[in-house]
Amino acid sequence: MSAVVVIFKRFERFWHWAQAAMVLLLIVTGFELHGFFRLFGFADAVSLHDWAGFSWAVLLVLAFTWIFTSGEWRQYLPRLEGLGATVRFYLLGVFKGESHPHHMTPAQKFNPLQGAGYLGIVFGLLPLQVATGCLYFFFPELRAAGWLQSIDWVAWLHTFNAYSLLSFLVIHLYMITFGKRISSHLRAMITGKEEV
């Protein structure tokens, strides 16, 4: 017998959707800065990219404050229990129509693979992207102070990390279709409620 429970809290949903909007704007303006197309014009694309980047940095500070003060950091602890069954499900079970071996609860939202993935993304890739973006933005001041003489490695790292995050986004969009119904996970991220 299934039940509907609140899995994603209000701030969590705000963080998710605000971050999605900012990341989408950063992707579009980032591609324009690299010359893939012309939409806003180079100068406006730079301004929008900077604005979205600093807004994302503020949002991440709020998110980390929430994660560590609400106890949500426990969601990101790596665990081996259920890892084999989860890997098997994604390799075989999903193609046979089997049920997902992980049953979401408010205390354990992520399956073991999600937990490991989000650990690396939330505590690794996201801060790295913001940090390299700040180094990029403040490069003239940092160079004048003698703290940073070359921007090349920062640009390479920022761009490589951006493509890593974009790859995650594609996988993330695919994985949201793995709920009980194709729209279940998307609806849960809007309402906070998931059928378990």
Side-chain angles (χ1 to χ4, degrees):
M1 181 174 171
S2 62
V4 176
V5 297
V6 174
I7 297 292
F8 300 108
K9 298 176 179 75
R10 190 172 299 162
F11 175 79
E12 205 169 10
R13 286 177 275 144
F14 164 74
W15 169 29
H16 179 272
W17 291 113
Q19 182 166 269
M22 290 172 199
V23 167
L24 183 61
L25 182 58
L26 286 162
I27 289 171
V28 171
T29 54
F31 275 125
E32 182 166 5
L33 296 178
H34 282 272
F36 283 88
F37 52 79
R38 180 178 168 80
L39 179 63
F40 301 108
F42 189 83
D44 286 344
V46 170
S47 296
L48 286 169
H49 200 81
D50 293 344
W51 178 87
F54 280 113
S55 298
W56 192 25
V58 171
L59 182 64
L60 281 180
V61 170
L62 292 175
F64 281 122
T65 302
W66 178 78
I67 286 170
F68 287 111
T69 58
S70 67
E72 287 290 316
W73 57 269
R74 293 182 185 90
Q75 302 278 351
Y76 301 91
L77 291 176
R79 63 182 196 281
L80 295 176
E81 182 185 346
L83 180 62
T86 303
V87 171
R88 186 198 170 282
F89 171 76
Y90 287 124
L91 290 177
L92 298 171
V94 70
F95 301 109
K96 296 179 177 178
E98 296 177 2
S99 297
H100 200 294
H102 175 73
H103 300 288
M104 197 181 296
T105 67
Q108 201 167 71
K109 301 170 189 173
F110 307 138
N111 67 51
L113 279 181
Q114 282 178 307
Y118 285 126
L119 176 68
I121 291 164
V122 172
F123 297 98
L125 297 185
L126 299 186
L128 179 63
Q129 194 65 2
V130 169
T132 53
C134 287
L135 289 176
Y136 224 128
F137 185 84
F138 292 109
F139 176 63
E141 291 81 5
L142 293 171
R143 182 170 55 184
W147 292 349
L148 188 63
Q149 297 306 314
S150 170
I151 198 66
D152 293 349
W153 67 270
V154 176
W156 182 90
L157 190 56
H158 191 73
T159 302
F160 179 80
N161 203 42
Y163 278 109
S164 299
L165 290 169
L166 182 58
S167 300
F168 162 74
L169 178 60
V170 172
I171 295 168
H172 183 68
L173 291 174
Y174 175 60
M175 299 298 276
I176 65 171
T177 66
F178 282 37
K180 288 191 174 181
R181 285 180 286 278
I182 197 166
S183 61
S184 295
H185 290 332
L186 177 62
R187 189 170 56 250
M189 213 59 225
I190 296 171
T191 65
K193 298 172 184 173
E194 179 86 47
E195 189 178 338
V196 297

